[in-house]
Amino acid sequence: MKRTVFPNRWLPYALVAPQLAVTIAFFFWPAFDSLRLSLYRASPFGDRLIFIGLGNFERLLADPAYFRSVATSFVFSALVTVLGLAVALLLAALANAKIRGLAIYRTLLLWPYGIAPAIAGVIWLFVFHPSFGVLPYVLSFVTAYQFNWFLKGWVALTLIVVAAIWKQFGYNLAFYLAGLQAIPGSVLEAASVDGAGPIRRFFAITFPLLSPVTFFLFTLNMTFSFFETFGLVHAVTQGGPGDATSILVFRAWKDGFEGLQLGYSAAQSVLLMLLVVALTAAQFRFAEKKVTY
Amino acid sequence: MKRSTLSMLAAAVLLVALPATSIAATEIQFWHAMTAVLGERVNEIAAKFNASQSDYVVKAVHKGSYAETLTAAVAAYRAKQPPHIVQVYEVGTQTMLSSGAVYPVYQLMKDNGVSIDWNDLIGPVKSYYSTGGNLYSMAFNSSTPILFYNKDLFKKAGLADKAPTTWDEVEGMAKKLHAAGVKCAYGSAWPSWVLVENMHGYHDQPFADHANGFDGLATTLKINGPFGVKMMELLARGAKEGWFTYGGRANKAEALMTAGECGIFTTSSAYIGNLTRAAEGKFAWGTGSLPRLSGFAQGNSIIGGATLWVMKGAKPEEYKGVAQFFKFVASTENQAWWAGVTGYLPLTNAATKALEASGHYTKNPNQKTAVNQMNAGKTTPNSQGIRLGNFTSVRDAIEEQMEYIFSGNKTAKQGLDDAVAKSNEILKEFAALYK
């Protein structure tokens, strides 16, 4: 790799300064502030601030509901990431074929990414709605089972998983398409000549060659499902029914911004941050070894 | 309909005319949480005030839901940019009282030499928002839950055109409605407020210790007693048998009633305004008092809605404007207008009389239902209101468990016990903050 050498000593610093300023103002400062706040019992309007050490963390770790929320987040994140990537890869492989009107298909498939999570949620809310949704109406001809996500936890969870996958789908597809196009045709042709069928070709050549893309998307989708799906849960299920869809980020928001228990909420966001940092580190440590660049 | 279109037009004209007349006027920020028809009414009353004088301009700003409005006010106060007036729901009362961030309304009025006859305020409103006999926030929109029923669906199920008065009747009628193919035979909005908080007050049952938090900071909920369990068992049975449809938290379930799918429905009396508009030309409806559970004492329903709090940190001349605005809002004429167009309770006895005298209640009998219900009840320490710290989280804990009960995942007793345990922990946190 060619090394760029700046003649001026200060220019490189000046060039990264804006980005650094943004990161400090919008990430490090709030992060340290919540770290500090997590050690206090704080009143909403800030008139009382009582240092309680790790009291907020103790309260959290003694609460079975918190561990249910951790479990829900992992299930949700795993479903969104694995199913989301599988569907995107399948459709990318199809969209990579030489068919008429390909450009139109690709554009249409990329579309959902342009939609905010909250709006994606509302669209699926209308599809699933127990009284005026299309899906319960169609299903009512097949079964007498009530798909009411106001009461049935698994229906609510399915709803937000589907909405999150759909929302993130365009992004995953774009990367997979680019990845597929970067695979040299000669390699695949050579495999064909050797007698490998389409399925064999996919698993022996395409999939391993796509592993950097998959790794990147995996990390990104996991972070997306832990954090950015907040808008979705907020707009659709509000964490319910019971606490069936109360993922960690929503819980932290609800206790802080609705319940106004600020220290308690800060402690949750600190734990959530540690958790995601640990997960990402683990992925780079272990999963990246299987990636061929 | 015609009248409301006209008044909307008038408001629009006034709003447009505003900038020209208000160049040197002092601006007063008024943050509120009213949506749909109610939001239009708030803009209207601000516009009327602005047109009535030229020293002050009240800017009514919609800040989202009640919870979001309170959070916005908290953030603004911490950033030293608070609004002058913020509308806070009854759930936030204790938070505001304890905060040290508010300018008590009785004090504001005294300091600015504006006199309002507080004794003319209706009893439940005065007792809910006063401390030591002094009013801390300006009564604005108070409502109480009542029962609504869809007359067309009643006819379809072969029921007489009469609202049920007891829960036994609700069950009997809802079963018939369900059998006649009605999708939502009985439904309710605001699950905790209507079915737990109000049902306890309405049957003279305690909701929390320290007289529901009026004698001191409450630390223990009382909702898992025989009454609470019986009430939840009834609803759980309804959910299981299909004659009670759970439609979500806050006012989400109102969409079912609005769409004409519910036979019997309980929600805030302030829903009258929205239902009137939504049901016009589609279905006929009526109202009645909340149903009673036999074998329990008579209490009273509890008011909900919101009041206007004045935040500390503004200039004296701005507070003068706030006091003038409150005086304007409290006038009999405006109170009668506000109650008449929204379905909220008239807050003063004089306004009730004015509505009575103008024949308003004869023309709009549904708006009298809440007033009658409150007058028929007995205000006791259990029904004067509920003041809890962290009440938003407590309500959330209750509704979470209600969902477990209605879906059959927990028994009524188990769910309520869990709700109490969780709530007590949340209350303890608040008490520790202000001990």
Side-chain angles (χ1 to χ4, degrees), chain A residues 41-48 50 59 131 148 150-151 236 238 241-243 254 257-262, chain B residues 67 71 74 77-78 98-99 183 246-247 249 256 261 311 392-393 396 400 403-404 407 425 429 432-434:
Chain A
R41 181 181 281 135
S43 74
F45 286 90
D47 56 322
R48 299 287 168 99
I50 303 165
R59 188 180 157 203
S131 40
N148 183 351
F150 285 126
L151 284 178
V236 183
Q238 298 272 315
D243 57 2
K254 194 169 69 173
F257 289 84
E258 257 190 30
L260 295 173
Q261 304 184 57
L262 302 172
Chain B
T71 307
V74 164
Y77 182 80
R78 287 175 154 240
S98 300
S99 71
K183 260 189 170 175
Y246 178 74
R249 298 185 194 180
L256 293 169
E261 287 184 357
M311 305 294 298
T392 312
S393 297
D396 213 57
E400 194 175 296
E403 287 169 351
Y404 282 125
S407 60
E425 188 209 323
E429 278 296 309
L433 203 50
Y434 289 103

Side-chain angles (χ1 to χ4, degrees), chain B residues 52-182:
Chain B
S52 75
Q53 44 74 50
S54 55
D55 294 336
Y56 310 101
V57 174
V58 169
K59 289 241 150 97
V61 184
H62 175 68
K63 281 282 168 183
S65 69
Y66 277 134
E68 284 161 357
T69 304
L70 178 55
T71 307
V74 164
Y77 182 80
R78 287 175 154 240
K80 307 215 166 9
Q81 299 276 325
H84 301 86
I85 306 169
V86 58
Q87 184 191 27
V88 177
Y89 53 168
E90 88 283 5
V91 170
T93 305
Q94 186 61 54
T95 301
M96 298 305 282
L97 280 175
S98 300
S99 71
V102 298
Y103 188 0
V105 163
Y106 80 94
Q107 191 72 47
L108 168 95
M109 298 312 231
K110 206 156 65 181
D111 292 350
N112 288 288
V114 175
S115 70
I116 291 183
D117 181 13
W118 300 120
N119 288 323
D120 193 39
L121 276 180
I122 60 168
V125 171
K126 202 168 65 182
S127 70
Y128 206 130
Y129 300 107
S130 296
T131 296
N134 291 314
L135 201 71
Y136 269 62
S137 59
M138 179 70 193
F140 185 60
N141 56 317
S142 289
S143 60
T144 202
I146 56 170
L147 181 142
F148 295 80
Y149 67 103
N150 183 320
K151 295 189 175 190
D152 291 9
L153 294 179
F154 266 47
K155 203 179 277 174
K156 186 179 159 195
L159 293 168
D161 181 5
K162 194 181 154 294
T165 56
T166 65
W167 281 103
D168 285 342
E169 284 179 19
V170 170
E171 182 171 353
M173 291 179 177
K175 277 179 176 162
K176 282 194 185 135
L177 287 159
H178 180 59
V182 174

Side-chain angles (χ1 to χ4, degrees), chain A residues 19-182:
Chain A
Q19 180 60 36
L20 266 180
V22 167
T23 315
I24 289 169
F26 292 102
F27 179 71
F28 285 105
W29 187 29
F32 279 108
D33 215 34
S34 38
L35 199 60
R36 187 183 59 85
L37 197 59
S38 70
L39 304 175
Y40 289 86
R41 181 181 281 135
S43 74
F45 286 90
D47 56 322
R48 299 287 168 99
L49 200 63
I50 303 165
F51 183 78
I52 51 167
L54 296 176
N56 285 321
F57 294 95
E58 279 166 23
R59 188 180 157 203
L60 267 178
L61 298 177
D63 187 357
Y66 183 71
F67 290 99
R68 274 205 304 278
S69 180
V70 172
T72 309
S73 300
F74 272 97
V75 169
F76 174 71
S77 182
L79 287 174
V80 170
T81 308
V82 174
L83 290 179
L85 289 189
V87 174
L89 181 55
L90 179 73
L91 277 157
L94 293 177
N96 198 34
K98 290 180 183 61
I99 41 173
R100 266 152 77 84
L102 190 60
I104 294 169
Y105 290 126
R106 278 184 194 165
T107 312
L108 288 178
L109 286 170
L110 288 176
W111 235 347
Y113 188 63
I115 294 170
I119 295 171
V122 171
I123 292 172
W124 286 94
L125 184 150
F126 281 120
V127 175
F128 272 82
H129 200 283
S131 40
F132 43 80
V134 182
L135 199 66
Y137 179 74
V138 172
L139 287 171
S140 69
F141 293 109
V142 187
T143 163
Y145 188 80
Q146 292 286 314
F147 290 89
N148 183 351
W149 52 262
F150 285 126
L151 284 178
K152 305 244 162 59
W154 75 269
V155 183
L157 191 64
T158 310
L159 162 55
I160 59 166
V161 165
V162 170
I165 289 175
W166 181 74
K167 150 84 190 82
Q168 196 63 1
F169 172 73
Y171 187 84
N172 296 337
L173 182 90
F175 275 89
Y176 270 133
L177 264 180
L180 284 173
Q181 280 162 6

Side-chain angles (χ1 to χ4, degrees), chain B residues 202-216:
Chain B
Y202 199 51
H203 294 89
D204 199 21
Q205 303 289 317
F207 181 84
D209 63 347
H210 289 287
N212 290 350
F214 275 73
D215 289 350

Side-chain angles (χ1 to χ4, degrees), chain A residues 258-281:
Chain A
E258 257 190 30
L260 295 173
Q261 304 184 57
L262 302 172
Y264 185 52
S265 163
Q268 294 182 42
S269 67
V270 168
L271 286 185
L272 175 59
M273 189 171 74
L274 290 179
L275 190 73
V276 174
V277 166
L279 272 178
T280 313

